[in-house]
Amino acid sequence: MSQTKNFNLPDLGEGLPDATIVEWFVKEGDVIKLDAPLVSMETAKAVVEVPSPVSGTVLKLSGAAGDIIPTGAVLASFEIDPNLPQRADGQDTGHSHGHAPAAPNPPPLPAAAAPVPAAAEEKAERDDAGTVVGAMQSSNAVHTEQALAVGGVKAVPAVRATARKLGVDLARVRATGADGAVTMADVKQAAADGSAKLGAAQAPVAAAAYAAQAPAQVAAPVQSEARTPLSATGKPMRTQPPGVVAKGQPEPLKGVRRNMARVMADAHSKVVPTTLNDDADIHAWLPGNDVTARLVRAIVVAAQKVPAMNAWFDGDALTRTLHAQVDIGIAVDTDDGLFVPALRNADMLDARGIREGVNRLREQVEARSIAASELSGYTISLSNFGMFAGRYATPVVVPPCVAIIGAGRARHQMTPVMGGVEAHKVIPLSVTFDHRAATGGEAARFLRAMMDDLALAN
């Protein structure tokens, strides 16, 4: 008698509640081997390739590309083939992040169901080894992300996810990577020059069919794009399939934006924020000063003078942790949402080291190759929003951090000097702090220390 098995979506890193399907590597009815790539999933921090837990025939796939699957819900069902290699009983499947004995398989869940309580309890009890971008733990070993050939095209999961978002047909992209793999740069170049638009080859056929429609039928889609369809309750409603991007129609947040919404709402409900603003006079700067490097150095100097701002605060236990090191979270804006990677040991870096570190973090974020461990654990954070626009802000403090610094757009202003006035260049600064953990005096002294350091020539 054949044996079937339901495979539930594992926790792909740090207790994330769900993940989005990027691409299935199999279809229902296919035969798959143990540990062969099953599906590519996008979480708030990574695009992760999930391997098959068994060898056998794929009976059912729960969801299509773009669907959100809750952690613990059924991802796929298999008919196990006893003639193919299987994992030994009790052997680590690699789908959890610790080394606790595997729990019995939970009963099947519908795709939209929430994770079972037992899974949450098991997660709390085990040690979390963390999920690294592009790596999955399997049989107590970590396999580095490799370019997988699907449909004759070799590309890593993050590249495939980007191609899907940009509407690029990977089969038509000129590959420049090792062994003929398509790289992130290849996809972005194809998107920029329009040389590999998804579905472009079928355009003439589609155009002919479209032209054959009556004028009245042609006019309808144009009107639907200009207006938001409303339901009987007066709320916007969805009239297109989930995988189709349509303006004016509700769509679920996914990946990074979904996590950002949760984190910001949680921070808003917990923190007691207060913001101080002032301008740092940088008139004395010599040519060649790096703005970001100077901001980071100023934060380090201020954190060493006022340790209360370089701290974590636990509002439930009412405890504070002061840090000897200064790890600065650098806000990085992307099309997918906000990332905050950590610049570790900023207090030990010179200007060149700061610039190299910031560039490395930005490149890894853009390529979605940054380790999940690098997106947490910072002791204070910086938002340099002034590189786009804006003077002052009230940046959000994300627990357990106590403070965040916002740097606005530099400008010239008239400054009184001995004998008259001069035009001095200034950088607007905003310091938001959690008033449960720091006093107004501490925040003001921190801001003063930043301003004094930024006033130096170099």
Side-chain angles (χ1 to χ4, degrees):
M1 181 177 178
S2 61
Q3 181 182 359
T4 61
K5 176 181 176 65
N6 288 326
F7 175 48
N8 299 328
L9 177 65
D11 178 2
L12 298 179
E14 298 187 7
L16 297 174
D18 51 43
T20 303
I21 297 173
V22 175
E23 181 178 14
W24 287 105
F25 300 129
V26 296
K27 60 182 182 296
E28 293 179 359
D30 284 355
V31 175
I32 189 171
K33 292 185 178 180
L34 176 69
D35 286 334
L38 174 66
V39 63
S40 177
M41 304 292 295
E42 180 180 17
T43 71
K45 299 180 179 179
V47 177
V48 180
E49 187 180 287
V50 179
S52 173
V54 299
S55 296
T57 302
V58 180
L59 297 179
K60 182 176 177 57
L61 302 177
S62 300
D67 287 352
I68 298 171
I69 307 297
T71 299
V74 174
L75 185 61
S77 299
F78 304 89
E79 181 180 346
I80 297 177
D81 188 338
N83 298 319
L84 293 176
Q86 303 293 339
R87 203 178 309 281
D89 291 340
Q91 184 178 356
D92 180 17
T93 65
H95 301 305
S96 67
H97 299 279
H99 307 290
N105 290 327
L109 296 176
V116 294
E121 293 174 1
E122 178 189 358
K123 173 186 168 297
E125 293 172 357
R126 68 191 180 219
D127 291 332
D128 189 358
T131 299
V132 178
V133 173
M136 279 289 289
Q137 211 174 19
S138 180
S139 302
N140 296 321
V142 176
H143 303 293
T144 306
E145 181 183 63
Q146 296 180 349
L148 179 70
V150 177
V153 180
K154 295 182 68 175
V156 299
V159 170
R160 293 183 181 277
T162 300
R164 181 180 294 275
K165 290 178 181 178
L166 298 179
V168 172
D169 185 353
L170 281 176
R172 301 171 60 201
V173 175
R174 181 176 176 272
T176 62
D179 299 325
V182 178
T183 67
M184 189 71 73
D186 296 336
V187 170
K188 292 183 177 180
Q189 179 61 39
D193 58 29
S195 60
K197 289 184 178 179
L198 196 63
Q202 288 75 32
V205 178
Y210 188 75
Q213 296 179 2
Q217 294 174 319
V218 174
V222 176
Q223 185 176 5
S224 67
E225 290 183 1
R227 294 179 178 273
T228 300
L230 299 179
S231 66
T233 61
K235 297 181 179 180
M237 66 180 185
R238 189 85 187 168
T239 60
Q240 295 291 332
V244 177
V245 177
K247 292 183 179 179
Q249 298 192 15
E251 61 181 12
L253 295 179
K254 300 174 184 177
V256 180
R257 287 189 181 274
R258 191 176 183 87
N259 186 64
M260 180 179 69
R262 291 194 183 104
V263 170
M264 293 301 166
D266 180 69
H268 182 72
S269 68
K270 292 180 178 178
V271 174
V272 181
T274 305
T275 303
L276 298 181
N277 306 113
D278 211 328
D279 295 322
D281 191 322
I282 61 172
H283 180 68
W285 279 19
L286 298 176
N289 270 286
D290 184 323
V291 175
T292 300
R294 289 298 303 269
L295 286 169
V296 168
R297 191 186 78 176
I299 292 173
V300 168
V301 170
Q304 291 172 339
K305 290 184 177 179
V306 189
M309 299 288 279
N310 184 51
W312 289 347
F313 178 70
D314 185 335
D316 295 327
L318 292 181
T319 59
R320 183 181 68 166
T321 303
L322 303 181
H323 299 284
Q325 82 284 1
V326 183
D327 295 339
I328 302 179
I330 307 292
V332 178
D333 180 67
T334 73
D335 292 338
D336 293 329
L338 179 67
F339 287 81
V340 187
L343 181 66
R344 304 291 183 192
N345 298 308
D347 52 309
M348 300 179 66
L349 301 176
D350 58 12
R352 180 178 177 181
I354 292 172
R355 173 44 57 191
E356 290 176 350
V358 170
N359 288 345
R360 173 182 58 81
L361 293 174
R362 185 176 296 277
E363 290 169 2
Q364 290 178 346
V365 165
E366 291 177 350
R368 295 300 293 273
S369 62
I370 191 166
S373 59
E374 294 301 308
L375 295 171
S376 61
Y378 43 86
T379 60
I380 194 169
S381 49
L382 167 66
S383 174
N384 191 9
F385 61 87
M387 61 187 300
F388 302 114
R391 289 189 183 182
Y392 308 104
T394 54
V396 178
V397 177
V398 176
C401 287
V402 170
I404 179 173
I405 293 84
R409 189 172 185 82
R411 71 184 191 278
H412 286 86
Q413 71 176 19
M414 301 308 295
T415 303
V417 296
M418 187 70 68
V421 294
E422 293 179 352
H424 284 198
K425 193 172 186 178
V426 299
I427 295 179
L429 297 177
S430 302
V431 176
T432 297
F433 64 100
D434 188 343
H435 217 324
R436 298 176 302 169
T439 68
E442 288 168 332
R445 289 192 292 274
F446 180 94
L447 180 56
R448 180 73 262 173
M450 280 195 67
M451 293 168 60
D452 290 344
D453 187 76
L454 287 169
L456 301 177
N458 54 29

